[in-house]
Amino acid sequence: MDLVLSDKKTFVTGASSGIGQAIAMKFATEGAEVFILDLNEEGGTKTENAILEAGGSACFHKLDVTNPEQVQDLFSQLGPANILVNNAGISSIGNVENTFPEEMDRIYSVNVKGVYNCLHAAIPGMKENGGGAILNMASIVSKVGISERFAYSMSKGAVFAMTLSVAKDYLDSNIRCNCLCPGRIHTAFVDDYLEKNYLDNRDEMFDKLSKFQPIGRMGKPVEVAALAVFLCSDKASFITASAYDIDGGATLLR
Ligand SMILES: NC(=O)c1ccc[n+]([C@@H]2O[C@H](COP(=O)([O-])OP(=O)(O)OC[C@H]3O[C@@H](n4cnc5c(N)ncnc54)[C@H](O)[C@@H]3O)[C@@H](O)[C@H]2O)c1
């Protein structure tokens, strides 16, 4: 069988839920040895069990990506990765006036510093190993203005910029670094947002959010996972410093 990620040691952050969970599961079906790194133990164990039951290789480790010592210790313990998927992320609603310093710090600590912590800890091992592939989870907001997403846009713009910086600095180390820019993908991320902000008109908002994508619906985590597999596989050997839209046309079909 042609498994495109055979024996690739892969770290996926935020793999206890949503897009990260789908990526962990899809990577395992493609032969990767998957390490599920997340704060959420219950979801992480579920993901691990689902992969093991399907005959794949997976191991959950509790990790807070905001904690540099924890990231460094765990990555040293696990040894060099062939693939790093920086997917853990949190959302934030608001404009610049009603986004306060604590919220900026909260979003920065996970979505920016968390990505930095994992890049900083993973790259030396990848270099020693002769190379690797890194995929960062950016967003449509890295490229287009979306209302009421001030702090979140700041963080995803930084993910895009970190992707280019790493891609450039490690060309000679054979490390490819790309990011994905998803539009709305139907995960707990979206459900929690609707629950918190639109309890009384959830269905109406769900419909509105779906129609934001010209294709007329939200994306599915498995659709993001399929692109992630390709970009992290050797089939994408000529692709680095790219920011892939996966958004049902939302960025370019306004
Ligand atoms: N769902 C969307 O519409 C959408 C669109 C564009 C980009 N994204 C991005 O995709 C990524 C995944 O989103 P999702 O929709 O699957 O969200 P999700 O909430 O379903 O999953 C996020 C995961 O990250 C984990 N996490 C949060 N903080 C963490 C920390 N400090 N350390 C370790 N793990 C942590 C959570 O426990 C959770 O398992 C995020 O970076 C998000 O910004 C999502």
Side-chain angles (χ1 to χ4, degrees):
M1 236 198 313
D2 185 21
L3 297 179
V4 295
L5 300 177
S6 269
D7 301 325
K8 297 278 189 197
K9 188 166 169 180
T10 303
F11 299 171
V12 188
T13 69
S16 294
S17 165
I19 296 171
Q21 182 178 56
I23 288 176
M25 292 171 78
K26 182 70 182 157
F27 273 48
T29 65
E30 290 295 343
E33 185 190 355
V34 176
F35 292 85
I36 299 152
L37 313 179
D38 202 299
L39 272 178
N40 172 351
E41 280 181 74
E42 196 187 332
T45 309
K46 263 192 203 157
T47 313
E48 179 191 78
N49 288 338
I51 292 174
L52 295 176
E53 277 162 25
S57 165
C59 190
F60 168 69
H61 291 269
K62 187 171 179 178
L63 178 69
D64 181 351
V65 296
T66 67
N67 182 327
E69 290 83 25
Q70 225 185 77
V71 173
Q72 196 67 55
D73 286 352
L74 181 62
F75 282 30
S76 303
Q77 181 197 320
L78 298 179
N82 302 111
I83 298 171
L84 168 65
V85 182
N86 274 313
N87 164 79
I90 54 175
S91 66
S92 177
I93 308 295
N95 60 33
V96 69
E97 287 174 277
N98 56 28
T99 299
F100 293 99
E102 310 75 54
E103 181 65 353
M104 288 298 281
D105 290 346
R106 186 181 78 91
I107 296 301
Y108 175 82
S109 71
V110 180
N111 293 6
V112 183
K113 191 83 181 296
V115 172
Y116 155 76
N117 287 336
C118 294
L119 291 167
H120 185 76
I123 285 177
M126 267 188 185
K127 273 168 71 178
E128 266 175 41
N129 242 359
I134 297 171
L135 186 63
N136 298 323
M137 204 54 70
S139 162
I140 185 174
V141 302
S142 304
K143 297 180 177 177
V144 296
I146 305 275
S147 52
E148 300 290 328
R149 294 291 184 284
F150 181 76
Y152 186 67
S153 301
M154 167 279 295
S155 71
K156 293 301 183 180
V159 172
F160 182 18
M162 286 190 284
T163 300
L164 299 182
S165 177
V166 167
K168 181 83 175 173
D169 284 340
Y170 297 96
L171 282 167
D172 293 342
S173 304
N174 195 30
I175 296 174
R176 295 184 299 106
C177 185
N178 294 292
C179 65
L180 294 182
C181 299
R184 191 86 50 191
I185 309 296
H186 189 198
T187 65
F189 200 80
V190 173
D191 290 334
D192 291 350
Y193 163 71
L194 292 177
E195 189 81 20
K196 268 188 219 141
N197 300 283
Y198 299 96
L199 200 53
D200 295 336
N201 55 344
R202 227 179 326 183
D203 292 349
E204 196 187 315
M205 268 315 283
F206 188 89
D207 195 46
K208 191 173 164 201
L209 294 178
S210 300
K211 291 198 173 122
F212 177 79
Q213 282 69 227
I215 228 167
R217 65 172 174 85
M218 295 188 200
K220 299 174 193 162
V222 290
E223 293 172 318
V224 182
L227 181 54
V229 164
F230 171 70
L231 288 174
C232 292
S233 76
D234 293 338
K235 292 191 177 191
S237 48
F238 197 53
I239 303 178
T240 194
S242 286
Y244 271 78
D245 299 339
I246 175 156
D247 63 358
T251 302
L252 294 177
L253 299 184
R254 287 287 107 208

